[in-house]
Structures are given as C-alpha cells and as structure tokens.
Amino acid sequence: MTISVRVNGRDRSIAVAPYHTLLDVLRDEMGLTGTKECCLVGECGACTVLLDGRSVDACLVLAVEVDGGEVTTVEGLAVDGQLSAVQEAFLDTGAAQCGFCIPGQIVSAHALLAATPSPDREQVEEGLAGNLCRCAGYEQIIEAVLLASTAPQRPAPPVTPVTDDVAARPDARMAPQ
Amino acid sequence: MTDLGSNSHAPGASHGPGASPARVGGRARVTGDQAYVADIRLEDVLHVKLVTVDAARARIERIDASAALALPGVRLVMTPAELPQPMPRFGPQMRDRPVLAVGETKYHGEPVAAVAAETRDLAEQAAELVRVACTPLPAVTSIAASLADGAPLVQEPSLRPDDALGGTNVLREHRYAWGDVAEAEAEADLVVEGTYRFPMVTQFAIEPHAFMAAPDGDGIAVWSSIQHPNWLQRVLASLLNLPLAKVRVFAPDPGGAFGGKQHAKYEPLLAFMALRLGRPVRLVLTLEETFQAVRRGAAEVRVRSGFRRDGRIVFRDIDADYLIGAYADIADRTVAKGSYTAAGPYRIPNARIVARSVLSHTVPSTAFRGFGNPQQIWAVESNMDEAARRLEIDSVELRLRNLPRRGEPFIPGDTPADGEWADTVRRAAGLIGWGEQAPHGRGRGFAVGLKSGPTTGLSYSTVRLLADGSVVVHAGTSDMGQGARTIFAQIAAGELGAPVDWVTVVMGDTVVVPYDQQTSASRSSVLMGNAILHACREIQARLRSMAASLEGVDESEVVVERGEVRIGAERALPVRDVLTRGLGRLGGEIIGVGEMRKEAEPEHPLGGTAAFYEFNCTAVEVSVDEETGDVTVERHVTVSDVGLAMNPKQVRGQDEGAAVMGLGHTLMEHYIFDAEGRIRNLGAIDYRIPTSMDLPKRMESAIVENADGPGPYGAKGMSEGALLCVAPAVAAAVRDATGVVICDLPLTPERVWRALGERDATEQPSQAAPR
C-alpha cells in the first residue's frame, strides 16, 4: 500500500509492504541512513525517531502506521544548516565516540528537552535509558543534554511537547517508548 | 629507530596535542552523515542471509536448496559444494575456520549455507526455505566437559598432526615461570588461595558487523567494519589467490568494535559469493548473530600466593583454563598474553603461571578489550584483597608495598615498569578518600590492573603538506570511537603549523593508505602516532633546507618545529610563508613518509617485549540492597597512567567507557546456555549491558601524565586500562559492605542475594560482619 508521510518537513508518498517497519522505509526507501539498525526489538534505541512529536523506536513502528503522520529523523534536526542546540552540545562535550548510538541519543534528547526543558541529572538518565551506548560511560552524553538545556532558545524542528496523559490524545498512534 | 620526541614538550596552541579540539568526524556523527558500512549503497547489490541450524553441534547430512532457489529473485544458495575443494580455511593463529561449516557445525550459529537475493526480505525468506537435514551431536560447552575423559574432540586432529595435545581439546598450554615456587613456599608466612570464574560475554558493539564484497576489475573490493584492514586484505588475497594489489579493502570507521571486529569473519564467504555472482553482495548481521560471531574467553583461574608478614609477595602460582570457542581465531593469543602478565604489576621473586586454551563447541572467542587480562586480574586482585584482610594490612598499602618503581624489571626479560605506578595508586586512593570512613552501609574496594601494550609493530604514514599549508594525513588505523583521526590531525597540525580543521585524515582504503599492521593493543597513539611524527619530521627537514636556501643561510641556522621556521635566534616565520616561497611557481606539495617499527624478538615467549604498559587503579564504593542483592556503585574512581593525553576529552571518554564496560561483566553480562549448548539469551532483551540507569552515582576519572611513554610527546597507549580491574574492585567493595566473598562473575542480584543468604545461614562471626 502507499503511505503519505511528512519526513523532515518534506511530504513523501511511498509504497510499502504491510510488514515493513518505519526503520526499513527510512533507511532503505528514503535513503535516510542516519537512523541506525541494531537490536530490532526496541531495546537499544539506535533507531529512535520523532513520530508526531513523540520519540519512538522506528523498528517497532510499522510503516503503514505513519500514514498521515510526521516523522523527524536526525537528518531533520539542523535548521537551515545550523545544528540544533543538542547537536552542538554533543560536539562540545565530546559525547560522540564511535557515533553509532548518537543519532538515537540526540533524538531522544530532543524529545526529553521538549517535555522537560530543565531536567536534572536523574531525569536525563531516565530520559536516555532507552538508548544504549557501548563506547561511553554515558557521562559526556548526559553532560551534553544538561548543557543543551541551558542553551538559548533557537528555532527548532516541530517537536510536540508530550504530556504524560496518553489517554487525552485520542489520535496517539503509539504506546510510549 | 630514532627516539621520536619522547622528551619534547607537546606543541602548544589550542589545537596541538594536549588540547581537546572537536573530534574529527564529530559533526558527521551528530548529523547522521557518518557512513558506516551498512549505510553505503552499492548499485545492483544482492542481499545475503546466513543459514544456521538450531543446535550447538550437528552433523550435516544434506542441504536442500531447491525450495529457496525456486523463489523468484533468489540468485544463489552458497553451500560447501560451491566452494573450492577442499574447503578453504582461514584464521589469524591457525587456518582452522572453514568458510562454511563442513561436515558438522561446531557451535550454535555457525553458518552452513548463505543465500543471496534481490531484496532483504527475499533473502530472509529464502534462508528459511533452505532445508538442512542434520543430526545433533553431543557438544562440550564448559571447561569441565571439554577436558573430561572421552569428551568429543572439537577440532579435527588432522589440523594439528604433530601436536602432542592434538588428540585433546586443549589447543595450547602456556607456561611461564621464574624463581622457584616450590622452594619459596617455606618463606611464606601466609598462603592465600582461591578459584575464580569469569563468564562468557560478548562485545555488543552498537553497530552489528557489516560486510560487502564486489568484483572490482580483475580483483575484488570488500567493505568491512574491520579493525585490521591490511590483515583482512592478506587473508582474502590468500584465499582468493589474488595479489594484494588486487584486493581492495574499504574499512569505514566502525560503530564500536572493542576487539570483536579485528579478524575476518564472513568477508571470505562474501568474497566467494561476489566472484561467483559477478555482482556486489551485502551482509549485515543481526545483533543476535553478532553474539554468535564474537565473544570473550571465559575462564577459571586458580591462584595461590605466598606473602611475608609485612605483605611482600614471596610467590604466586597460577593455573588457568580459558574456555575458547570452536575455532582458534586470536583466542589463544589472548590466553598467552593475558597470562604472561597475570602475576600482576608487582615485585614477585618466584612465579609459575600455567594457562590453557580449551576448545569448546561454542562461539569462537576473539579479542575483546583487555585481551585475556581481565580474567586473570579478576582472580589475582581478589586474591590480593583476601591477603590484605588476612594479613590485616590495608588493601592500598599492600599494593604500594609490592609495586615496582619506574625502570625496575618485574617480569624477567621484559620491559621494566614504565611508570611511577605508585602515583596512580595514590591518586585513586586520594580521590575516593581511602582511609576515611565510608558512609554508613557502604563498602569500598580497590584494585590495580596491568596490561602490556603491543609486542611488535609496524605502521606507515604518508603526510602531505599542500601548497596552501593544509595537510593530508594517510594512516591505516581504524577509528572505532577512540578518536584516532583526531589525535593524528592534532599531531600534524602541531608539527606543521596548520589549524586542526585544515587537516584531512584519510583512513580505511588499502589502495590509498599505506600499510598498518593493525588497530589493537591500544597501540595506535604510539605506533601510528610516531609514524605520523616521523613523516612530519621529513617535511620539516625539507622546509629547513628550503628556508636555508631562500634566506641564504646555512641549514644549521634553521630550526623547524611546532609549525614555525626559526632562522637564527631572531626571526621566526610561519611554515606557510616558507612553503609558498619555496614551492615557487610550479606549486606542488611536500610529501613525508614515516615508519614506526618494533621488531619481533623470536626468543621472547610473546614474540616481543611490551612497547609500554597500561596501568590503572580502580576504587569503588558500593551499597548493597540486602533484600534484593542489588549492588549500587555509589562512587567509581578510575585513574590511568597514560604518559600524556594528546586529547584529554577523548581520553576521558575512553576511560569512562571502559569503566562502565567493566561494570557490565562485573554486574550483569553473561551468556546463558540450555542443556543442549544453545545460547538462550541472544539479543538485547535478555543480555543486559549497562544503560544510563546503571551508572555509578558518581564517576570520577583521572589520569597520570609523566610524559614517560614511547609515543609522541611522551604518550602511552590507553583505553583498555580502565576495564581491567573493575570486577575485583567491586567485589572487594561488596565484601567490605556485607562480608560476603564471591568468586564467580557476574555479581548479579541473584548471586549476591544467595551469598548473603548463605552468610546469614552460617552466621559468620563479626570479623566479616556487614556494617
């Protein structure tokens, strides 16, 4: 079937198989390889993207479920070539080592900061708990998120702040990550 | 070999070595632009899926590919029949690993066939349709089972015809000894012994291994997440009967490797498939398949140490079995190297170490950060902690009484201690506040770890100073997150007077980049770093002669260093100035070639002495929930002797990463097998690695920099040290907090809880009572 989805601000119309995941479609059909494939069971967070403003594991979302929706991947975070505050902070603190988990970490961080603009350390640890990193002790990643939370506001891609009350959003497609 | 700058102060400026400029390649990593192997698109590529059987060991009766081949879009089902006869074999230590299992599968997950199809979906479907008739066979998956009388042999005896151990599952036995342990027994006031077990764990890089192969003119091109591109090139050239110059290995920066991507795995299979098909082929492993491709050796280590009343070590006697997998890979080398330094960074007049590599029907173990040392250090440092208690000597003090001074030999015939290791010990002790009372209910533990660096080495680098003063560095190191690109850029920038962002570092293409032996053993800062430095020196020599000629002075009056050309005592010109004038109207560039070589020493048990040592102290403070057995690391202090940190931010990232990785095998990671030898916890749900919720409440890392390493500006290699002694430090802290002594890793809540239960049941006297 064909789905219509806005990805990183661009409207796409794409044929997908019913069993394809959003991750498959992003990487294989749209050439957006910034989102990574690792565990494929929603544990590692390497495939984290924003779907209608919520962070989700793209490996757990069927492509057909994003019909009519809006997806933001790591490639869509910079605005007019300018890195987001989170991206800049990740550079400043040296958070990216091998870099493979980093797109997912950054997207999760965006979602966290949209919901909790001034998190404390514990909130950052919990907010990133679904993003595994094997290179870092996580310290520089956590520092990056805390640093980003102090950055002056910049134009950012659409991230709908998510309330905890899922039931209040009848059009919510996905269970929380 | 000249001494290249171990005494010279690192070039300053905000970008030179010692500063922490932004990671080269950092921007691409935060934008999603960084291309790992799985991100690279090849035209007309076929997707490959491995076919395995659900058994630890099985005799392959028949492979029926007809149903798979009948699927439109399936182009090939590769079986042993389609490969050269006899089955080609490869492996870094012995050529035992077949390209596909032949006759029988020897571990759960060994591929028996592989399909190639037009899409990933088709390849997955086709793999399911390949019918493999097989008979499960008895499998040995533990040390005891492999060594038992009558145990089935893992390896065909014909592979080791002249080996006395050829009819056993012991691949090799290593023996190291000095002094006389038997005689020394009489001198010991206290003998402490114990048996310690280290689990089977897997690297779990977030990037699963990925491979592609494509015909390339009259040769082949291979893409791999490999750490050793030149080694892979050699393996493929040999298997395919091609000259090296016709085997092009592309090695994009791996997404984490930790040793698990050092050696060839499925590249040979893909190469044969690509040549057979005349088309590119692509295989990206699932995370589960990576668990079935690479792991660390498990071990059982028995240690007996004799001490004098004052804490001095009289003897150390170690007997160790490492459970390696079905094929040697580089596992036996990890046993040899890890065991050689097993007695520890101590003055020990009498030592005997026996270590065996024991084959088993399990995933072939390979290199993994620490390279055979963590298993021994777990045992020996736990033994030291035990001794400290029984001697009633402080745990830190016991180490200090036995550490050699810098320059003092401690393993006869090998490199002496190359650091003031007591500095590292005191720093760690100071940071955790050792000697002060821990907060109520908490316990503290301390341990040290030593690993020897590379024993041989060969790295070449080409550095090109372009006409505008920008620089290209060619270096065959693999940057898998440790930040090699960045420090190489810093060295060239500092030496040639270019800003770091005017330096391009080219890696990962054997046609373009000169030879590098490998990326392992924390070697690259030293070996490749020095090669780059040497290349820069050649360029500086050219600049010197250019300047002399331009200025009409003798070369002896010109000094080129730190990006500056100094003429006499008075004048200093930027490199760029001399370069532009010197190159003249035709322009061009100056090319420098550097080589760093550490020759083999065939008489040495390891083939060479240690280029340097990694030395680390880890001190932890824990609290233990007695209801659940949950161990919380309240504080984690890790201090490493790095010589000089060329990029402190990156050094910190590596040390803290290593520390947390160490907490993984200490507290949670282990393979779980069923009775038939099949792995039950494949994948991320049931194999736990530390998350952001599992971190020490307070992590503190520090480094000791005495500029006493053999690398540029006094650097040593680093990035394995902080993992080495995490386990014994945590176990010592658990003991301090609760009184329980646990000798098997990991210290899962269940294991700790049971030990607490046993403690309570036997009602130990309060000498070891919990606080």
Side-chain angles (χ1 to χ4, degrees):
Chain A
M1 66 174 277
T2 302
I3 60 166
S4 299
V5 55
R6 175 170 293 181
V7 180
N8 296 334
R10 189 177 141 197
D11 289 325
R12 307 292 298 259
S13 186
I14 197 148
V16 301
Y19 51 85
H20 279 159
T21 63
L22 174 58
L23 181 63
D24 293 333
V25 168
L26 287 171
R27 288 184 55 83
D28 299 341
E29 305 301 326
M30 297 190 191
L32 292 168
T33 56
T35 307
K36 302 307 179 194
E37 185 174 304
C38 174
C39 79
L40 292 179
V41 290
E43 277 295 311
C44 74
C47 65
T48 310
V49 299
L50 299 175
L51 172 59
D52 297 332
R54 304 178 67 96
S55 61
V56 297
D57 288 324
C59 70
L60 294 182
V61 178
L62 291 174
V64 296
E65 294 185 80
V66 309
D67 186 31
E70 179 155 14
V71 175
T72 305
T73 70
V74 64
E75 291 97 333
L77 296 178
V79 177
D80 294 329
Q82 191 175 36
L83 300 182
S84 73
V86 174
Q87 289 171 307
E88 290 282 6
F90 269 64
L91 285 178
D92 287 343
T93 66
Q97 294 190 39
C98 84
F100 202 81
C101 78
I102 292 299
Q105 300 275 5
I106 287 177
V107 171
S108 284
H110 268 262
L112 170 68
L113 293 177
T116 313
S118 298
D120 60 24
R121 193 191 148 110
E122 245 180 68
Q123 287 171 310
V124 175
E125 286 173 356
E126 195 167 325
L128 297 182
N131 291 89
L132 296 179
C133 176
R134 198 56 157 157
C135 289
Y138 293 92
E139 291 295 318
Q140 289 160 320
I141 293 173
I142 293 166
E143 284 167 19
V145 180
L146 291 169
L147 177 64
S149 73
T150 66
Q153 289 307 303
R154 284 191 219 180
V159 176
T160 311
V162 175
T163 64
D164 284 336
D165 188 2
V166 178
R169 299 186 64 238
D171 62 336
R173 286 181 179 76
M174 294 305 305
Q177 183 187 6
Chain B
M1 188 184 76
T2 50
D3 173 25
L4 294 166
S6 60
N7 292 318
S8 59
H9 179 72
S14 61
H15 287 155
S20 293
R23 180 178 294 261
V24 173
R27 194 189 167 95
R29 283 158 170 78
V30 303
T31 58
D33 287 340
Q34 182 67 25
Y36 303 86
V37 173
D39 302 326
I40 297 170
R41 294 273 168 267
L42 294 180
E43 282 299 314
D44 211 33
V45 74
L46 288 166
H47 298 269
V48 174
K49 191 72 186 165
L50 300 174
V51 177
T52 62
V53 300
D54 189 24
R57 178 182 176 225
R59 184 170 54 240
I60 304 163
E61 314 287 3
R62 192 177 60 256
I63 301 175
D64 177 2
S66 54
L69 286 166
L71 213 54
V74 174
R75 299 292 172 227
L76 174 67
V77 178
M78 199 75 161
T79 69
E82 274 82 36
L83 286 164
Q85 307 295 323
M87 170 65 71
R89 292 175 186 268
F90 62 98
Q93 286 199 262
M94 61 187 303
R95 296 180 73 147
D96 57 343
R97 187 195 290 252
V99 174
L100 282 173
V102 57
E104 69 176 53
T105 59
K106 293 187 187 291
Y107 62 93
H108 185 214
E110 182 172 13
V112 303
V115 307
E118 296 291 346
T119 68
R120 284 175 63 175
D121 294 335
L122 280 170
E124 280 176 35
Q125 283 176 46
E128 304 272 311
L129 291 174
V130 175
R131 297 268 167 269
V132 183
C134 60
T135 308
L137 296 170
V140 289
T141 60
S142 69
I143 293 168
S146 289
L147 294 177
D149 283 335
L153 289 184
V154 176
Q155 188 183 72
E156 286 84 3
S158 59
L159 287 173
R160 295 188 279 155
D162 301 316
D163 186 351
L165 294 168
T168 73
N169 283 326
V170 178
L171 181 63
R172 217 163 277 171
E173 184 175 88
H174 303 274
R175 292 178 165 269
Y176 311 115
W178 62 88
D180 189 329
V181 168
E183 259 188 37
E185 294 256 6
E187 296 167 34
D189 296 319
L190 173 73
V191 175
V192 181
E193 63 183 295
T195 300
Y196 299 86
R197 290 183 189 83
F198 198 104
M200 226 184 257
V201 295
T202 186
Q203 287 80 346
F204 199 147
I206 308 300
E207 179 210 25
H209 301 63
F211 320 98
M212 295 194 292
D216 184 20
D218 51 354
I220 190 154
V222 171
W223 290 253
S224 172
S225 49
I226 192 87
Q227 292 172 237
H228 305 340
N230 290 92
W231 200 320
L232 176 63
Q233 182 193 36
R234 236 179 5 256
V235 169
L236 292 170
S238 170
L239 286 170
L240 301 173
N241 219 16
L242 286 171
L244 292 172
K246 297 296 179 182
V247 176
R248 186 171 191 175
V249 174
F250 293 103
D253 293 0
F258 317 112
K261 294 172 179 169
Q262 284 192 13
H263 290 290
K265 296 287 176 294
Y266 303 123
E267 298 91 333
L269 172 63
L270 255 68
F272 280 113
M273 291 175 80
L275 292 176
R276 168 72 181 266
L277 288 159
R279 282 176 67 177
V281 290
R282 174 184 188 267
L283 170 65
V284 178
L285 297 188
T286 65
L287 183 66
E288 289 79 359
E289 286 170 335
T290 72
F291 289 22
Q292 293 175 302
V294 292
R295 68 170 176 88
R296 192 192 287 283
E300 185 176 298
V301 182
R302 295 162 289 283
V303 54
R304 274 180 88 245
S305 307
F307 298 82
R308 288 190 210 279
R309 182 62 47 203
D310 67 0
R312 278 179 293 145
I313 302 167
V314 174
F315 73 85
R316 180 151 284 153
D317 190 4
I318 297 172
D319 189 274
D321 289 305
Y322 284 72
L323 191 69
I324 70 173
Y327 302 111
D329 200 273
I330 198 73
D332 176 68
R333 177 73 178 170
T334 73
V335 176
K337 206 159 173 222
S339 302
Y340 180 75
T341 51
Y346 301 116
R347 290 189 191 105
I348 300 180
N350 307 279
R352 174 173 60 207
I353 303 165
V354 179
R356 278 170 293 273
S357 303
V358 180
L359 294 160
S360 63
H361 293 111
T362 63
V363 171
S365 59
T366 184
F368 190 171
R369 203 177 202 169
F371 208 77
N373 288 273
Q375 298 91 323
Q376 298 275 14
I377 291 169
W378 161 234
V380 168
E381 287 297 296
S382 295
N383 179 264
M384 288 291 279
D385 189 63
E386 172 87 28
R389 286 174 187 276
R390 296 199 16 211
L391 290 167
E392 294 181 327
I393 294 174
D394 175 82
S395 190
V396 172
E397 183 58 33
L398 185 64
R399 294 346 189 265
L400 288 171
R401 287 189 194 174
N402 288 287
L403 281 179
R405 302 290 315 273
R406 178 168 59 198
E408 199 185 316
F410 65 105
I411 297 173
D414 213 301
T415 309
D418 67 346
E420 277 305 347
W421 292 336
D423 288 354
T424 306
V425 170
R426 292 197 179 95
R427 186 85 176 274
L431 280 170
I432 200 146
W434 191 268
E436 296 156 20
Q437 181 83 310
H440 177 71
R442 297 187 188 179
R444 287 184 175 165
F446 190 95
V448 301
L450 176 90
K451 175 185 183 289
S452 71
T455 57
T456 64
L458 181 55
S459 297
Y460 294 90
S461 174
T462 313
V463 177
R464 302 162 53 200
L465 179 61
L466 306 184
D468 62 354
S470 63
V471 181
V472 179
V473 176
H474 296 250
T477 301
S478 166
D479 193 336
M480 44 191 165
Q482 83 279 39
R485 274 183 201 279
T486 311
I487 59 167
F488 296 164
Q490 288 178 259
I491 293 169
E495 293 294 322
L496 301 177
V500 162
D501 52 11
W502 271 42
V503 181
T504 288
V505 182
V506 180
M507 295 170 157
D509 180 349
T510 55
V511 150
V512 167
V513 176
Y515 182 86
D516 180 40
Q517 184 185 29
Q518 54 197 87
T519 302
S520 64
S522 313
R523 67 178 51 224
S524 304
S525 303
V526 170
L527 288 166
M528 186 59 78
N530 275 342
I532 293 167
L533 201 53
H534 187 182
C536 289
R537 296 270 185 267
E538 277 201 2
I539 295 172
Q540 288 168 341
R542 277 287 306 280
L543 287 166
R544 194 158 149 251
S545 99
M546 266 181 184
S549 167
L550 288 169
E551 300 291 321
V553 299
D554 197 81
E555 271 193 42
S556 61
E557 295 184 53
V558 183
V559 173
V560 181
E561 73 179 0
R562 304 182 197 177
E564 261 193 348
V565 180
R566 292 201 299 281
I567 303 178
E570 304 284 306
R571 298 179 58 214
L573 302 167
V575 159
R576 231 179 126 175
D577 178 87
V578 171
L579 179 67
T580 312
R581 288 157 57 205
L583 288 177
R585 272 220 305 223
L586 289 181
E589 58 190 64
I590 305 181
I591 303 172
V593 179
E595 174 185 327
M596 173 71 186
R597 178 185 290 265
K598 185 180 193 298
E599 287 292 1
E601 297 160 73
E603 296 307 306
H604 189 286
L606 293 182
T609 56
F612 58 84
Y613 294 104
E614 288 192 71
F615 182 82
N616 171 277
C617 286
T618 296
V620 299
E621 182 178 290
V622 308
S623 58
V624 180
D625 184 330
E626 299 236 347
E627 301 282 312
T628 64
D630 207 13
V631 175
T632 299
V633 179
E634 302 288 347
R635 296 183 60 195
H636 189 131
V637 166
T638 188
V639 183
S640 295
D641 180 333
V642 301
L644 180 129
M646 282 197 263
N647 186 312
K649 209 175 270 182
Q650 289 183 170
V651 166
R652 180 190 165 205
Q654 284 286 292
D655 258 356
E656 293 182 356
V660 170
M661 186 175 265
L663 288 175
H665 65 240
T666 299
L667 295 174
M668 59 188 78
E669 293 181 45
H670 59 299
Y671 279 70
I672 299 170
F673 288 83
D674 66 14
E676 282 76 48
R678 295 174 301 188
I679 305 165
R680 292 292 84 184
N681 62 336
L682 294 171
I685 294 177
D686 292 323
Y687 183 95
R688 310 304 305 176
I689 65 171
T691 73
S692 59
M693 304 288 283
D694 300 307
L695 303 178
K697 296 288 174 226
R698 192 168 136 202
M699 162 76 81
E700 292 155 274
S701 63
I703 54 178
V704 168
E705 293 182 277
N706 290 326
D708 50 3
Y713 323 118
K716 297 173 183 171
M718 62 79 58
S719 73
E720 295 176 78
L723 176 145
L724 297 174
C725 59
V726 173
V730 171
V734 168
R735 180 184 194 163
D736 192 46
T738 66
V740 298
V741 179
I742 300 173
C743 301
D744 298 347
L745 292 174
L747 306 182
T748 57
E750 179 183 344
R751 183 166 272 143
V752 174
W753 179 82
R754 285 187 190 284
L756 291 168
E758 278 167 30
R759 173 202 69 187
D760 296 342
T762 54
E763 289 169 351
Q764 292 290 329
S766 62
Q767 170 216 343
R771 300 206 238 113

